[in-house]
Amino acid sequence: AKKGRPPPPPMAEAGGGVTHLVRVLKDTDDMSASLASYLSEQASSATSRDSAAGFAVAFSGGSLPKIAGAALVAAPYKDSVDWAAWRVFYADERCVALDHADSNHLALKTQLLDKLPPGAIPPAQIFTIDAAGSPAEQAAAYEAALRKERPDGALDVVLLGMGEDGHTASLFPGHALLEANDSLVASILDSPKPPPSRITLTYPAIRSAREVAVVAGGAGKASILKDILGGGAPSALPVANAHARDSVLRWFIDEAAAAQLDRASLQSF
């Protein structure tokens, strides 16, 4: 940890100690409903632990905002969740304007935030990048905002997606950023996926979270999920090692993504 800042909570190491808990859902609609129930429960637990701190959750981009938002903006969650307690962060963000088509914030705004009652989540509790700065400046500012809200840097839930190459957030296979251990948020200038400039939570940030969940659907994810969850040697892929502080990684996957898995061998939750 940097001088003058409290260190993040102890985090478990990656490797064979990761416990994968898997929930297989029929399709995208079932994934959305199950994820909404999970987030509602986690939000209630967080506010019960510390009502002043609220519920701090980080969202990735891709298909995740649409899956997460679909059920949350409908009954019963839209009107029953204590949205004012939510602190919304981004697990990664593209270094573009907030209204740019590549912006993860724009995706979540469109699929979730704009569909809630006006002001349901106070704007000051939605943490976006300052797109005016350089990627390094944006990363430093974003870490400062995270630490101001959570001095130990620990989020309640980090929601991640998974690329077909096994990347998650903007942590890519074989990239030097996987070794970053002196910051909670880092910049990347050479993302293998466009756009090249991004900021991302690092392993230390993800592994200090109370809960981490990956949402992955579609037949295109089946092969890589077999590599990760098929019972072989522990995977070195970024997504397989993006676990929570207790070494647990939760998975919300659909039947198409689970097609190559032995369902009986999976640990469910």
Side-chain angles (χ1 to χ4, degrees):
K2 297 179 181 179
K3 184 176 180 181
R5 293 176 173 174
M11 64 180 185
E13 296 299 324
V18 181
T19 299
H20 298 283
L21 302 181
V22 185
R23 187 173 292 179
V24 181
L25 292 312
K26 181 181 178 181
D27 54 24
T28 300
D29 288 344
D30 281 356
M31 290 172 70
S32 180
S34 184
L35 187 59
S37 176
Y38 168 78
L39 288 173
S40 177
E41 292 168 1
Q42 292 299 319
S44 293
S45 295
T47 54
S48 293
R49 287 190 302 269
D50 187 340
S51 59
F55 173 57
V57 55
F59 290 85
S60 286
S63 61
L64 180 60
K66 184 175 183 179
I67 295 172
L72 284 172
V73 300
Y77 304 106
K78 182 176 183 178
D79 297 318
S80 64
V81 167
D82 180 11
W83 296 110
W86 286 45
R87 277 72 167 164
V88 174
F89 291 87
Y90 293 93
D92 68 323
E93 180 58 285
R94 290 80 179 271
C95 295
V96 296
L98 297 180
D99 60 355
H100 191 282
D102 288 334
S103 168
N104 287 341
H105 170 67
L106 178 62
L108 190 71
K109 182 175 184 290
T110 301
Q111 300 295 337
L112 173 62
L113 303 177
D114 284 351
K115 296 181 180 181
L116 297 176
I121 302 175
Q125 293 170 199
I126 300 170
F127 296 89
T128 58
I129 61 168
D130 178 359
S134 69
E137 291 169 339
Q138 291 179 40
Y142 207 75
E143 176 165 343
L146 171 57
R147 288 192 180 274
K148 183 177 180 180
E149 187 66 31
R150 290 294 174 94
D152 62 3
L155 295 157
D156 294 304
V157 174
V158 175
L159 289 178
L160 299 170
M162 180 185 75
E164 293 182 10
D165 61 351
H167 86 269
T168 195
S170 287
L171 300 174
F172 292 90
H175 197 279
L177 207 55
L178 298 177
E179 306 301 322
N181 59 13
D182 60 351
S183 63
L184 299 179
V185 183
S187 59
I188 176 173
L189 302 177
D190 57 351
S191 166
K193 304 283 186 180
S197 296
R198 304 161 174 233
I199 69 166
T200 183
L201 296 182
T202 60
Y203 272 152
I206 295 169
R207 293 178 185 161
S208 68
R210 185 175 292 273
E211 296 259 333
V212 179
V214 178
V215 180
K221 308 294 175 67
S223 178
I224 200 162
L225 282 175
K226 182 180 180 181
D227 291 341
I228 296 170
L229 303 174
S235 173
L237 290 170
V239 69
N241 294 286
H243 55 75
R245 68 178 73 164
D246 60 0
S247 293
V248 171
L249 179 55
R250 300 182 189 273
W251 296 82
F252 292 81
I253 65 177
D254 64 9
E255 290 186 347
Q260 297 182 35
L261 297 174
D262 175 8
R263 303 267 287 270
S265 70
L266 300 175
Q267 294 186 62
S268 62
F269 70 100

